[in-house]
Amino acid sequence: MIKKKILIIGATSTIAHECARELNNQFICHFTLVGRNRAELEKNKADLMIRSNRCSIDVGCVNFFDSSFLENIKNILKKSYDFYILAQGNLVEHGSLTIDTLSKSNQLNINSYANLIFIIYERLKKINRGHLILFGSVAGDRGKQSNFWYGASKSYVNTVFQGVEHDIGVNNRNINISIIKPGPTLTKMTIHLPNAHKFAKADEVAKEIVKQIKVKKRVIYVPRKWKWIMLIIKYLPQFIFDKLKI
């Protein structure tokens, strides 16, 4: 069985953990799990160790709201990995939004995310290998009245993905990059939302993500139907779009 070294930042994310489970099923893995909540990280570590006695796991707890966390990440990056998965973030809910909650969400979803992409990509350029995997969202494909603040943060990630991908191509680098764009998925972050029971199941979403990562797919819509749904939504004329409450 093939060995893989995997760094997951935002490792307490439901989808990220389900991806770790799936990777654990298919490879002999060394995981480095990074997140804000040590108890949750240790719980996820124990879950993965129970499922496979061949895996090894390091855990790192950081505060994404303190810029000093980047020094911790730089130390982690002294090792090289096959997959660098960036999954941290939170949902911006318009109904309870204040300037303080928006600023805090932007710090996590945009500022810290951008800093992480920057330092990881600089590292990948030096070693000229590795696969960087970003978590976007279908919400980032077009601004919608229901979630445009969250969608804007994911649009930012998508633009950075496009720029890094172009840089890789122009400079013929031996690096891969993918962006994952999940549709509504049942997770800890969404379970309280209306109709959450109709959302995609996180384990099924993770299986598709891992399948597509293995073949180095650039843009990964999960479930796959969202590729076609968002294609329609993106190109709807504004006068029609304005009639849809989505």
Side-chain angles (χ1 to χ4, degrees), residues 130-244:
H131 189 165
L132 177 56
I133 299 153
L134 310 179
F135 266 75
S137 170
V138 295
D141 281 7
R142 185 171 185 174
K144 299 174 286 296
Q145 58 88 30
S146 60
N147 65 353
F148 59 84
W149 288 114
Y150 176 71
S153 69
K154 294 305 184 180
S155 292
Y156 180 92
V157 173
N158 190 58
T159 300
V160 176
F161 158 75
Q162 291 170 343
V164 172
E165 182 181 48
H166 189 215
D167 186 74
I168 290 169
V170 167
N171 293 287
N172 196 29
R173 303 189 196 278
N174 185 38
I175 301 168
N176 294 292
I177 186 168
S178 301
I179 186 167
I180 301 163
K181 296 188 177 186
T185 304
L186 185 60
T187 67
K188 292 176 292 187
M189 195 168 70
T190 63
I191 194 168
H192 65 287
L193 296 178
N195 298 315
H197 64 286
K198 296 180 180 179
F199 292 175
K201 294 180 180 178
D203 60 335
E204 295 174 359
V205 165
K207 283 182 172 64
E208 184 63 25
I209 289 170
V210 171
K211 179 181 176 181
Q212 298 301 331
I213 286 172
K214 286 170 63 180
V215 297
K216 300 179 173 65
K217 185 77 176 286
R218 298 171 49 252
V219 181
I220 303 169
Y221 284 92
V222 280
R224 287 188 178 190
K225 66 181 181 181
W226 282 97
K227 176 180 179 180
W228 308 112
I229 293 170
M230 293 315 300
L231 183 67
I232 294 168
I233 289 175
K234 279 194 293 185
Y235 293 106
L236 273 179
Q238 191 66 34
F239 76 92
I240 296 177
F241 190 60
D242 287 346
K243 299 180 187 300
L244 303 176

Side-chain angles (χ1 to χ4, degrees), residues 55 104 116-117 122 126 128 138 146 165 197 203 212:
C55 73
K104 191 172 183 179
L116 285 167
I117 295 172
E122 289 301 303
K126 288 180 181 177
N128 198 35
V138 295
S146 60
E165 182 181 48
H197 64 286
D203 60 335
Q212 298 301 331

Side-chain angles (χ1 to χ4, degrees), residues 2-16:
I2 299 171
K3 295 182 179 180
K4 293 288 183 183
K5 291 184 286 185
I6 302 161
L7 171 63
I8 306 179
I9 301 178
T12 59
S13 150
T14 302
I15 298 177

Side-chain angles (χ1 to χ4, degrees), residues 3-60:
K3 295 182 179 180
K4 293 288 183 183
K5 291 184 286 185
I6 302 161
L7 171 63
I8 306 179
I9 301 178
T12 59
S13 150
T14 302
I15 298 177
H17 183 59
E18 290 293 345
C19 286
R21 284 178 169 177
E22 186 62 23
L23 289 163
N24 208 22
N25 288 338
Q26 299 190 28
F27 302 104
I28 299 172
C29 295
H30 173 75
F31 292 104
T32 298
L33 306 179
V34 178
R36 292 178 285 165
N37 186 320
R38 181 169 292 279
E40 283 291 314
L41 289 169
E42 293 292 346
K43 179 181 174 182
N44 287 357
K45 174 182 176 179
D47 176 74
L48 294 170
M49 295 290 287
I50 288 170
R51 291 168 184 272
S52 173
N53 59 12
R54 297 170 301 189
C55 73
S56 56
I57 303 174
D58 294 325
V59 167

